[in-house]
């Protein structure tokens, strides 16, 4: 049986014309839908935020799950505060750069802003460090197959080479970014969408392999999109069907379209295959157990764990804030490291003892994780329960496998009457949100109930109750947190938004040390 095809929409620069684009999408949904996703490239906010206030307040609704890129000028930077930020219901800001994996398996790489000549970039520009963050993991991965979609603010430079001319542009060589071209060449997306140029241009597909010299690979289709509502009526909305590449047979995926051309992007002056030394990447968690000179690394043994015995863990194809081998990990938050999983203090935690259980390697959910990872998750749960029981507290564990790339199990201790009332509070909040929250048998295995790839919310409560919701469309991303903030549980509604709870790195470091000391007698990884 063939894999399910997803229906996706991509649009060019919205520039604050929110009602125009969302009304158009609603009409398309009724006529040709349902579509699964809307991707917005280019300038999303423009200079007029009048309409945006109605969407942010909930007065107007966005009709489809929408992913957007970041600022393209300094005036817009204030809109974007956190990567993965939910801007309003159904609108998510992806971040500066990275790879986002939908629950369907669809992989979307993204790069926000304009090219900068600096290493770091700024709020509206990406630098060399951003592009290498996307490309280095790919170059080092011999099994890399590509991504389904790449969305960038800018066009790639010289994309028209070997293809039809860009209508209305006399000198296409001056259009676009060389860095974006290099990212596209290395990531090898099946579709690449970009904006900012005010032009619609659908290039002939280009090959990601050299004919005869290399094995066939999939082709890339580049589409530049015009601005929403432009007076010239150039195309700004593009609809297409796509099956995630990880669910396709190689023969089907790598079929070469008849009108395909050579890749327009040459090997960059920044890269060559014999220049890549990924040991230069500074990881907190040393997977090899050796430093560049081949000698024993000083962190081979840490917290009683022999790092040399650690097996190589699966890694994300792009930046991930939770893979322990990633430079994005905030190591000062790490409490305990096992063989397959680790525990870290939650940023903006509900209470000082709010922690996360996370797999060391890149696994999206509990049900998609291998048995040894799930076994160690259970070990950490057991240790944390004992730790908090000795303090007269119970523990709520919850997981949201929806709009996430890396498994995160939230661990929140509660005490007193809240232990008895938390189940009723979950049910009442679910009813008020029209969420069907089902109680499942206490000894049931989540993996036997939920197939891999299905989004869900799952909670384990102090008295052994297990609650499950299969997510079919919209779901409040902070649902678990909001429930625990209710008067019957923690009674702290002001902490429902984690961004209101952020503290300094110095305070985080102190809290991590305090939790480490408290948890040490129960931590199995130290045995």
């Amino acid at each position: 049986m063939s894999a399910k095809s997803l229906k996706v929409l991509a649009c060019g620069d919205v520039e604050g014309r929110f009602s125009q684009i969302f009304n158009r999408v609603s009409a398309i949904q009724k006529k040709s839908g349902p579509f699964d996703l809307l991707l917005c490239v280019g300038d999303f906010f423009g200079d007029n935020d009048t309409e945006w206030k109605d969407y942010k307040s909930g007065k107007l609704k966005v009709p489809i799950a929408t992913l957007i890129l970041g600022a393209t000028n300094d005036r817009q930077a204030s809109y974007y505060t956190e990567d993965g930020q939910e801007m309003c219901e159904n609108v998510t800001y992806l971040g500066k750069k990275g790879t986002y994996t939908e629950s369907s398996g669809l992989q979307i790489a993204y790069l926000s802003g304009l090219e900068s000549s600096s290493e770091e970039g700024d709020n509206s520009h990406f630098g060399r460090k951003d592009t290498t963050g996307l490309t280095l993991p790919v170059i080092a991965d011999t099994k890399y197959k590509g991504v389904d979609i790449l969305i960038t603010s800018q066009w790639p430079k010289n994309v028209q080479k070997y293809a039809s001319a860009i209508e209305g542009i006399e000198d296409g060589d001056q259009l676009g970014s060389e860095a974006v071209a290099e990212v596209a060449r290395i990531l090898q997306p099946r579709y690449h969408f970009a904006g900012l140029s005010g032009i619609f241009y659908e290039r002939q597909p280009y090959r990601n392999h050299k004919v005869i010299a290399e094995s066939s690979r999939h082709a890339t289709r580049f589409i530049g999109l015009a601005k929403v509502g432009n007076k010239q009526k150039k195309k700004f909305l593009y609809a297409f069907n796509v099956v995630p590449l990880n669910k396709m047979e190689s023969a089907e995926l790598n079929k070469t379209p008849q009108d395909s051309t050579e890749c327009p992007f040459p090997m960059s002056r920044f890269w060559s295959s014999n220049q890549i030394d990924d040991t230069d990447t500074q990881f907190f968690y040393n997977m090899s157990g050796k430093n560049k000179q081949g000698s024993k690394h000083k962190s081979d043994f840490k917290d009683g764990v022999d790092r040399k015995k650690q097996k190589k863990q699966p890694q994300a194809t792009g930046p991930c804030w939770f893979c322990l081998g990633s430079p994005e990990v905030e190591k000062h938050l790490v409490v305990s490291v096992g063989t397959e999983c680790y525990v870290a203090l939650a940023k903006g935690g509900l209470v000082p003892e709010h922690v996360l259980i996370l797999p060391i390697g890149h696994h999206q959910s509990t049900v998609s994780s291998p048995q040894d990872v799930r076994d160690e998750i259970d070990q950490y749960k057991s240790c944390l329960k004992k730790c908090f029981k000795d303090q007269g507290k119970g523990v709520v564990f919850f997981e949201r496998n929806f709009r996430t790339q890396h498994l995160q199990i939230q661990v929140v201790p509660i005490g007193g009457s809240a232990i008895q009332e938390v189940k009723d509070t979950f049910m009442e909040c679910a009813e008020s949100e029209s969420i069907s929250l089902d109680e499942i048998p206490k000894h049931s295995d989540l993996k036997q109930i939920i197939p891999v790839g299905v989004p869900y919310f799952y909670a384990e409560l102090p008295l052994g109750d297990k609650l499950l919701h299969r997510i079919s469309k919209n779901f409040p991303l902070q649902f678990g947190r909001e429930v625990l903030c209710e008067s019957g549980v923690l009674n702290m509604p002001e902490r429902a938004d984690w961004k209101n709870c952020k503290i300094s790195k110095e305070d985080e470091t102190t809290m991590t040390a305090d939790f480490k000391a408290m948890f040490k007698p129960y931590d199995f990884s130290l045995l």
Side-chain angles (χ1 to χ4, degrees):
M1 186 172 68
S2 60
K4 180 186 176 184
S5 177
L6 302 172
K7 300 183 73 172
V8 181
L9 292 167
C11 82
D13 310 69
V14 177
E15 293 188 332
R17 299 182 181 89
F18 304 113
S19 294
Q20 185 170 354
I21 185 60
F22 293 137
N23 289 343
R24 177 74 176 274
V25 169
S26 293
I28 292 173
Q29 285 279 57
K30 291 177 182 178
K31 182 179 179 181
S32 308
F35 282 83
D36 299 285
L37 192 63
L38 171 65
L39 307 173
C40 296
V41 297
D43 180 352
F44 185 70
F45 284 102
D47 296 322
N48 185 355
D49 66 351
T50 304
E51 291 185 8
W52 178 246
K53 294 175 182 176
D54 289 337
Y55 287 96
K56 190 170 179 62
S57 68
K59 183 179 178 181
L60 295 176
K61 300 292 185 182
V62 177
I64 186 173
T66 303
L67 302 178
I68 68 171
L69 294 174
T72 55
N73 61 61
D74 291 338
R75 296 190 306 276
Q76 302 163 358
S78 60
Y79 290 108
Y80 307 94
T81 57
E82 299 286 344
D83 287 3
Q85 173 187 355
E86 188 175 34
M87 311 294 283
C88 73
E89 184 179 351
N90 259 352
V91 176
T92 300
Y93 161 53
L94 287 168
K96 189 75 171 289
K97 54 69 170 78
T99 304
Y100 175 88
T101 304
E102 274 280 306
S103 58
S104 62
L106 190 74
Q107 294 182 2
I108 304 167
Y110 54 90
L111 181 63
S112 296
L114 309 179
E115 181 178 354
S116 169
S117 58
S118 72
E119 184 77 10
E120 298 286 344
D122 56 32
N123 290 333
S124 58
H125 294 78
F126 61 85
R128 176 79 187 285
K129 188 173 283 189
D130 296 308
T131 56
T132 54
L134 277 173
T135 56
L136 263 181
V138 170
I139 294 170
D141 185 358
T142 57
K143 297 181 180 179
Y144 180 73
K145 291 183 177 180
V147 293
D148 292 297
I149 301 169
L150 171 64
I151 56 174
T152 59
S153 301
Q154 283 183 290
W155 283 34
K157 191 175 180 63
N158 293 327
V159 70
Q160 78 286 353
K161 187 177 181 181
Y162 307 128
S164 55
I166 303 171
E167 186 177 346
I169 298 294
E170 292 184 8
D171 188 0
D173 292 344
Q174 301 304 311
L175 186 67
S177 157
E178 185 176 347
V180 170
E182 183 64 1
V183 167
R185 186 186 69 79
I186 294 174
L187 295 191
Q188 299 180 2
R190 296 165 66 200
Y191 290 89
H192 180 182
F193 296 95
L196 292 183
S197 297
I199 301 163
F200 173 73
Y201 176 65
E202 185 171 9
R203 190 199 188 280
Q204 291 97 326
Y206 64 81
R207 295 183 289 272
N208 286 299
H209 66 276
K210 294 180 180 179
V211 178
I212 300 177
E214 296 176 330
S215 300
S216 294
R217 296 183 66 87
H218 62 267
T220 295
R221 291 168 168 82
F222 172 78
I223 297 99
L225 292 163
K227 298 179 180 182
V228 171
N230 65 87
K231 293 180 180 179
Q232 297 80 18
K233 296 187 177 180
K234 295 177 181 177
K235 189 170 182 176
F236 61 82
L237 196 60
Y238 188 94
F240 64 108
N241 297 328
V242 60
V243 175
L245 63 80
N246 60 10
K247 296 183 179 180
M248 295 181 70
E249 296 292 337
S250 295
E252 182 67 23
L253 174 65
N254 297 330
K255 279 184 180 177
T256 303
Q258 290 186 349
D259 59 343
S260 62
T261 74
E262 289 294 313
C263 176
F265 313 127
M267 174 72 79
S268 167
R269 66 179 184 273
F270 298 126
W271 298 105
S272 69
S273 58
N274 60 2
Q275 289 176 332
I276 303 304
D277 178 7
D278 61 356
T279 57
D280 285 336
T281 304
Q282 295 183 8
F283 292 141
F284 158 60
Y285 184 74
N286 189 317
M287 293 295 182
S288 67
K290 294 184 178 182
N291 60 17
K292 286 187 71 175
Q293 286 73 36
S295 62
K296 195 177 196 179
H297 195 281
K298 64 181 179 181
S299 64
D300 280 348
F301 292 88
K302 186 178 180 182
D303 297 333
V305 178
D306 186 350
R307 296 292 174 242
K308 294 191 296 179
K309 294 181 181 178
Q310 293 274 0
K311 69 179 183 182
K312 187 172 178 62
Q313 298 284 353
Q315 297 297 301
T317 55
C320 177
W321 290 98
F322 301 106
C323 284
L324 196 51
S326 166
E328 277 83 7
V329 165
E330 297 192 53
K331 63 182 180 181
H332 68 286
L333 299 174
V334 175
V335 171
S336 169
V337 181
T339 304
E340 304 292 340
C341 301
Y342 71 103
V343 174
L345 197 74
K347 285 190 75 70
L350 284 169
V351 293
E353 301 86 5
H354 183 172
V355 294
L356 307 175
I357 303 173
L358 309 111
I360 290 170
H362 194 70
H363 301 288
Q364 185 170 338
S365 67
T366 296
V367 298
S368 66
S369 298
Q371 187 63 48
D372 50 0
V373 171
R374 298 200 306 276
D375 288 344
E376 194 160 285
I377 287 172
D378 289 340
Q379 277 188 282
Y380 268 123
K381 284 181 178 178
S382 178
C383 291
L384 288 163
K385 285 179 183 177
K386 291 176 184 176
C387 176
F388 288 120
K389 183 180 180 180
D390 287 351
Q391 299 180 29
K393 296 179 180 180
V395 191
V396 176
F397 301 97
F398 66 91
E399 174 194 357
R400 169 175 54 82
N401 178 31
F402 177 66
R403 296 193 185 178
T404 57
Q405 297 186 54
H406 193 111
L407 166 60
Q408 304 162 53
I409 296 177
Q410 307 279 338
V411 183
V412 183
I414 59 175
S417 62
I419 292 175
Q420 303 292 331
E421 296 180 21
V422 66
K423 178 181 174 182
D424 289 340
T425 307
F426 261 103
M427 291 303 190
E428 290 166 7
C429 290
E431 185 176 0
S432 68
E433 294 276 2
S434 299
I435 294 170
S436 175
L437 194 59
D438 300 315
E439 187 171 359
I440 61 176
K442 292 184 179 182
H443 298 291
S444 58
D445 183 352
L446 186 63
K447 191 175 177 66
Q448 303 302 319
I449 301 173
I450 295 288
V452 173
V454 173
Y456 62 84
F457 174 86
Y458 172 69
E460 294 179 7
L461 307 184
L463 299 181
D465 302 291
K466 295 182 178 182
L467 306 177
L468 176 66
H469 170 64
R470 296 185 187 224
I471 301 172
S472 58
K473 45 180 182 178
N474 300 330
F475 183 79
L477 299 184
Q478 300 300 327
F479 176 70
R481 188 181 179 104
E482 290 167 356
V483 171
L484 297 183
C485 284
E486 288 291 317
S487 57
V489 188
L490 294 174
N491 192 24
M492 46 178 63
E494 73 282 357
R495 297 183 73 83
D497 186 346
W498 74 273
K499 293 191 285 292
N500 295 334
C501 308
K502 290 193 294 185
I503 57 178
S504 68
K505 183 175 180 179
E506 182 179 357
D507 288 341
E508 288 177 337
T509 303
T510 300
M511 287 175 60
T512 301
D514 290 344
F515 190 94
K516 233 185 226 185
M518 178 188 74
F519 185 54
K520 186 175 180 180
Y522 308 88
D523 188 353
F524 74 90
S525 74
L526 301 182
L527 300 178

